[in-house]
Amino acid sequence: MTNQFQSVRGRVMRHASRYFLMGLLIVGASWASAAIAATTTLKNISYDTLPGGSVQLHLNFGDGPVPEPRIFTTDNPPRIAVDLPDTTNAAGRHMDIGKGSTSGVSAVSAGGRTRVVVELMRASSYQSRVDGNSLVLTINNGTANQSVTTAATIDPTKRLPSSSDGPAISNIDFRRGPNGEGRVLISFSGSGAQPEMTHQGDKVLVTIDHANLPANLAQRLDTLDFATPVQSITSRVGNGGGARIEIDTKGTVETSAYQTPDQYVVEVAPKKAAAKDERLAKLDAQPNYNGKRVTFNFQDIPVRSALQLIADISGLNLVASDSVGGSVTLRLVNVPWDQALDVILRAKSLDKRRNGNVIWVAPQAELAKYEQDLADAKLKAQDTAELVTDYVPISYGKAADIAKLLTTGSMQGGGGGGGGSNTQRGFLSPRGSVSFDQRTNTLLINDTPEKIRQLRELIAVLDKPVQQVLIESRIVVATDDFTRELGVKWGVSGNQTNNNNIITTAPTGDGALKYGTGVHNNIVNYNNAVTDWVANGSQGAPPHPGAVTLPGGFNVNMPVNGGSTLGFAILGANYAIDLELSAAQSEGRGEVISSPRVITANQQEAVIRQGQEVGYVTYQNQGSGTGGAPTASVQFKDAVLELKVTPTITADNRVYLAINVKKDALAGFLNTPNGQVPQIDTREVNTSALVDNGQTVVLGGIYEVNKSNTISKVPGLGDIPGLGALFRNTKRSTTKAELLIFVTPRILSDTLQ
């Protein structure tokens, strides 16, 4: 028997050694294959801080080549993952950074590849490039609403040749993931594409500059039947060239994207509820029991025995406290075992705490005392923990303002800093303190390491760049003038000698008498001169009659000033008729365009003004007496173009504008007893409007029309039909003026460099 046992044992040992040797060979082969596959080693990871809070990571591969990376991003939590194929990790597993939006970086190697994960405090854009034997990753200090650039720049020698216009999009496809997520697959004919993913309301926009979109792919894809958050995919050519792909989503979603040399994948998944919201929902909702159904019918069974039965059925590890005792009567038919457990616990004033597959059952008072003792121990450990000092530079805000938020106590902000009160600590621990330096805009925090870590996360949320808005306004004043005037001048002059008198028409009432008397006197003088010349023997030159100026003028004088004239005259032996027609027509069109532009931060008022101050002098008497000289004073009135605006960026990427636009112009001066006072034409609009990003709206307009008809005529004669036109002056004018105010807000991208 002994020999047979030894023989069997020998055979078993030989087989075991053989199988062990084969296992070693298999493990060695796998190690060898992994070693052969992994041809590159990640030596170390370092970083540099750049202006503006950006962080530049350097992944150094020593003397080996830089592998072609596969980079993708996630939104919740914000991460940038870099997969390096055929690479082993010789760098550290984790490195804390805590600069800008970059919290830290981790590197893990498995299966012949290495994954480098950049941990972010908020979603940020990045750029990647190859520099010698290093992969350089630059992470901007961005915000959650900024565009996320996911294009990776790899070694140019590894790229396929492409056209000057960029790679062409070969296909746009859609897939449903295993967990209900939607995946948009954009394939390219070559490498070198640089997509940019942005969020705009319920849409995910993918912009690919310098990419060709074939006409057959410029279409809309309906994806409702796939039961994912993606409703449709619309592809079109961008305004400035390239391709623009709009992904319509439904509900609250999480997006991520990654890129290979010839494909870009956008993944849209339903957003998971926050842990806090889940806890609140659990408090309000009824318990959901889904355990195996059991039937119990016991009379006075010990509680510990009932708990043992439930542990055997559930397969969980159950630990009962020594104070758990007593008996219980059960009659439960076809109920889940977890509901039966709750019934037993409530009947005996017990409670449970679960950690993994282990359940601890104890009286409620005992559990409450344990948790209270644990909390007291944590507080005592916090009170005795070592205090450390940390320096947090503030990039976009003011250190004094953030210090005031961190502690609700009084602040002493002198030249170097300030601190909080002892009674109200705010976000600090009871022994913590915060100060600030105004010169360097730096926070100085003295607290426990755990509390400093929490404060850094809070400061990263508060210290972020404020979005800026470009406000473009255009004020247009258009005028249109038309004037038409018609006038006439005419007169009749004549003379007739009657008993040495002249009968004539003249503009004045007594002209005929005056001119007639003058002619009579000239005739008498001429006759006397002839008599004297004959009496003297006709010596010398005979006398001549004196010249007589006959009356002249217009009986009707209603001309057009500055107009064109047409004259007509008839001259007879004893009469003259003069007729002059005048007419004028003028048309004028004018347009004044003012285009003020201003950039301001979100919720910050901006004012831009341009114009002149019109000065004028007024006089004021010093007293009631006449002896004092008046006092002159110089005053000014503004005649300016002013744009005053306060933008507010909404959650759906629109802009709410509180805007005031004023356009003044000098119209002239008004004479007063105290001097001349300028008259100002004022045009002003004060309103609020909700405008889409980049949309142009008309805030308001004023349209004015002035019409006038003026007739100057001789009473009675000017009303005669037909002939009345010879006795009147007619003027008709029309003036039109229109004011339009256009406003265009544009949200400036944080990624513009």
Side-chain angles (χ1 to χ4, degrees):
M1 183 63 109
T2 303
N3 293 333
Q4 292 179 354
F5 176 76
Q6 292 179 350
S7 177
V8 171
R9 186 178 67 176
R11 288 197 299 270
V12 170
M13 293 297 295
R14 286 194 297 272
H15 285 292
S17 62
R18 186 182 303 165
Y19 292 147
F20 179 73
L21 181 60
M22 293 177 62
L24 289 178
L25 292 175
I26 293 172
V27 172
S30 61
W31 286 352
S33 61
I36 294 173
T39 59
T40 307
T41 302
L42 178 61
K43 297 293 185 180
N44 57 72
I45 302 175
S46 60
Y47 73 93
D48 297 324
T49 57
L50 302 179
S54 300
V55 176
Q56 192 173 80
L57 293 177
H58 298 269
L59 281 64
N60 186 18
F61 296 90
D63 296 333
V66 178
E68 183 175 338
R70 182 186 181 192
I71 305 177
F72 63 93
T73 62
T74 60
D75 288 343
N76 189 17
R79 297 288 187 270
I80 301 175
V82 182
D83 282 347
L84 304 171
D86 303 334
T87 304
T88 59
N89 179 33
R93 291 182 58 87
H94 183 77
M95 179 175 61
D96 291 324
I97 298 178
K99 306 294 183 180
S101 63
T102 307
S103 175
V105 59
S106 302
V108 178
S109 180
R113 67 170 184 168
T114 298
R115 171 169 291 182
V116 179
V117 179
V118 182
E119 303 168 0
L120 304 175
M121 302 177 186
R122 52 186 174 270
S124 304
S125 63
Y126 71 90
Q127 296 84 34
S128 61
R129 61 183 176 87
V130 174
D131 186 8
N133 294 327
S134 299
L135 177 63
V136 182
L137 198 67
T138 304
I139 299 97
N140 298 325
N141 188 14
T143 60
N145 293 327
Q146 73 174 20
S147 59
V148 179
T149 305
T150 58
T153 304
I154 61 175
D155 190 349
T157 60
K158 299 181 180 180
R159 294 188 180 273
L160 298 175
S162 59
S163 63
S164 58
D165 295 333
I169 299 177
S170 59
N171 190 27
I172 299 176
D173 203 356
F174 180 78
R175 296 286 188 270
R176 187 181 189 275
N179 299 321
E181 68 272 14
R183 295 174 181 173
V184 181
L185 292 81
I186 306 172
S187 303
F188 304 97
S189 59
S191 62
Q194 296 184 356
E196 285 191 2
M197 183 178 68
T198 59
H199 299 268
Q200 189 176 31
D202 295 335
K203 294 182 178 181
V204 179
L205 306 180
V206 179
T207 305
I208 311 170
D209 296 333
H210 308 294
N212 298 324
L213 180 66
N216 61 325
L217 297 180
Q219 58 184 350
R220 183 179 184 274
L221 302 178
D222 192 346
T223 59
L224 288 174
D225 296 339
F226 290 88
T228 68
V230 180
Q231 304 297 295
S232 64
I233 305 170
T234 304
S235 306
R236 63 170 61 96
V237 179
N239 296 330
R244 177 184 174 94
I245 300 172
E246 299 179 359
I247 305 173
D248 291 328
T249 63
K250 182 179 180 181
T252 306
V253 299
E254 298 176 346
T255 59
S256 62
Y258 60 89
Q259 184 180 8
T260 62
D262 57 353
Q263 192 176 65
Y264 185 76
V265 181
V266 179
E267 186 173 289
V268 182
K271 188 174 183 179
K272 299 179 180 179
K276 183 177 180 180
D277 297 337
E278 291 179 355
R279 291 195 297 268
L280 295 177
K282 290 180 180 179
L283 293 176
D284 298 333
Q286 296 295 328
N288 184 21
Y289 301 109
N290 53 10
K292 182 180 179 181
R293 295 185 176 273
V294 297
T295 299
F296 291 151
N297 191 358
F298 297 109
Q299 296 288 333
D300 293 330
I301 183 175
V303 174
R304 302 180 75 89
S305 299
L307 295 177
Q308 182 63 42
L309 288 175
I310 294 177
D312 294 339
I313 294 172
S314 63
L316 297 176
N317 300 315
L318 193 145
V319 179
S321 175
D322 294 338
S323 55
V324 176
S327 301
V328 64
T329 299
L330 297 176
R331 189 182 183 280
L332 303 174
V333 179
N334 196 26
V335 298
W337 68 262
D338 45 358
Q339 185 178 4
L341 176 61
D342 285 348
V343 170
I344 296 172
L345 297 180
R346 286 197 297 268
K348 304 302 294 183
S349 298
L350 303 175
D351 204 350
K352 67 178 185 295
R353 295 292 183 268
R354 182 169 180 172
N355 186 7
N357 63 343
V358 178
I359 298 178
W360 177 32
V361 178
Q364 295 177 353
E366 183 178 340
L367 286 177
K369 184 178 182 302
Y370 169 77
E371 292 175 347
Q372 183 63 41
D373 293 342
L374 186 62
D376 294 341
K378 289 183 178 179
L379 291 176
K380 184 176 290 186
Q382 188 178 24
D383 293 338
T384 59
E386 180 183 3
L387 298 179
V388 297
T389 302
D390 195 10
Y391 310 99
V392 183
I394 305 301
S395 301
Y396 303 101
K398 293 183 179 180
D401 296 339
I402 296 181
K404 189 175 182 180
L405 291 174
L406 295 180
T407 173
T408 58
S410 60
M411 302 294 302
Q412 301 292 330
S421 69
N422 294 325
T423 58
Q424 299 179 354
R425 306 307 306 161
F427 295 93
L428 304 175
S429 67
R431 297 187 298 148
S433 64
V434 60
S435 310
F436 60 89
D437 181 54
Q438 293 182 346
R439 184 179 61 87
T440 60
N441 203 34
T442 302
L443 284 178
L444 292 79
I445 305 175
N446 186 260
D447 216 319
T448 62
E450 178 64 20
K451 183 60 69 172
I452 288 180
R453 185 189 64 80
Q454 297 175 2
L455 292 176
R456 273 191 168 274
E457 294 179 356
L458 177 60
I459 293 171
V461 175
L462 299 176
D463 185 29
K464 60 182 181 181
V466 180
Q467 288 186 283
Q468 299 183 97
V469 183
L470 171 63
I471 309 297
E472 297 178 282
S473 179
R474 179 165 293 187
I475 305 169
V476 181
V477 180
T479 59
D480 189 355
D481 300 328
F482 176 82
T483 303
R484 177 179 292 174
E485 187 175 1
L486 185 64
V488 62
K489 294 194 302 182
W490 64 271
V492 179
S493 301
N495 65 83
Q496 179 67 43
T497 303
N498 184 13
N499 295 325
N500 295 327
N501 291 320
I502 299 296
I503 302 174
T504 184
T505 61
T508 57
D510 57 349
L513 179 61
K514 289 181 178 181
Y515 287 115
T517 303
V519 172
H520 171 73
N521 292 334
N522 287 336
I523 294 174
V524 171
N525 293 333
Y526 173 72
N527 291 333
N528 293 334
V530 171
T531 302
D532 294 338
W533 180 71
V534 172
N536 293 329
S538 303
Q539 299 291 326
H544 297 277
V548 178
T549 302
L550 296 177
F554 295 99
N555 301 98
V556 177
N557 190 7
M558 296 179 179
V560 174
N561 296 325
S564 301
T565 60
L566 176 64
F568 177 76
I570 300 177
L571 181 62
N574 297 314
Y575 65 90
I577 300 177
D578 293 323
L579 176 64
E580 183 178 300
L581 301 176
S582 58
Q585 178 173 318
S586 62
E587 298 181 10
R589 292 181 174 86
E591 189 175 84
V592 179
I593 301 177
S594 304
S595 183
R597 302 181 181 181
V598 64
I599 296 177
T600 183
N602 185 27
Q603 299 183 348
Q604 295 294 322
E605 184 183 71
V607 179
I608 184 171
R609 304 180 66 192
Q610 182 211 2
Q612 60 179 343
E613 289 186 340
V614 182
Y616 61 99
V617 181
T618 59
Y619 298 91
Q620 186 178 4
N621 295 329
Q622 291 182 346
S624 58
T626 59
T631 302
S633 60
V634 180
Q635 301 182 18
F636 294 90
K637 280 191 175 183
D638 293 336
V640 299
L641 167 65
E642 182 181 80
L643 172 64
K644 185 184 297 182
V645 61
T646 302
T648 301
I649 302 176
T650 62
D652 55 353
N653 213 34
R654 294 193 290 177
V655 183
Y656 180 81
L657 296 175
I659 190 169
N660 180 270
V661 181
K662 183 186 296 183
K663 179 72 170 68
D664 297 340
L666 179 63
F669 288 88
L670 179 65
N671 294 322
T672 66
N674 294 327
Q676 289 186 329
V677 179
Q679 291 181 301
I680 306 298
D681 289 339
T682 300
R683 300 176 177 91
E684 183 176 1
V685 173
N686 189 2
T687 185
S688 300
L690 184 62
V691 188
D692 291 336
N693 181 26
Q695 180 185 7
T696 300
V697 296
V698 182
L699 292 183
I702 300 174
Y703 184 69
E704 296 177 308
V705 179
N706 295 325
K707 294 183 178 181
S708 65
N709 292 320
T710 305
I711 299 177
S712 301
K713 61 184 178 180
V714 178
L717 298 178
D719 298 328
I720 300 175
L723 294 178
L726 298 176
F727 298 93
R728 60 175 179 254
N729 177 284
T730 305
K731 182 178 181 180
R732 179 168 62 90
S733 63
T734 303
T735 302
K736 301 178 182 179
E738 186 174 11
L739 170 66
L740 296 174
I741 300 176
F742 305 87
V743 174
T744 306
R746 303 182 188 275
I747 302 175
L748 301 183
S749 175
D750 296 332
T751 59
L752 294 178
Q753 299 184 1

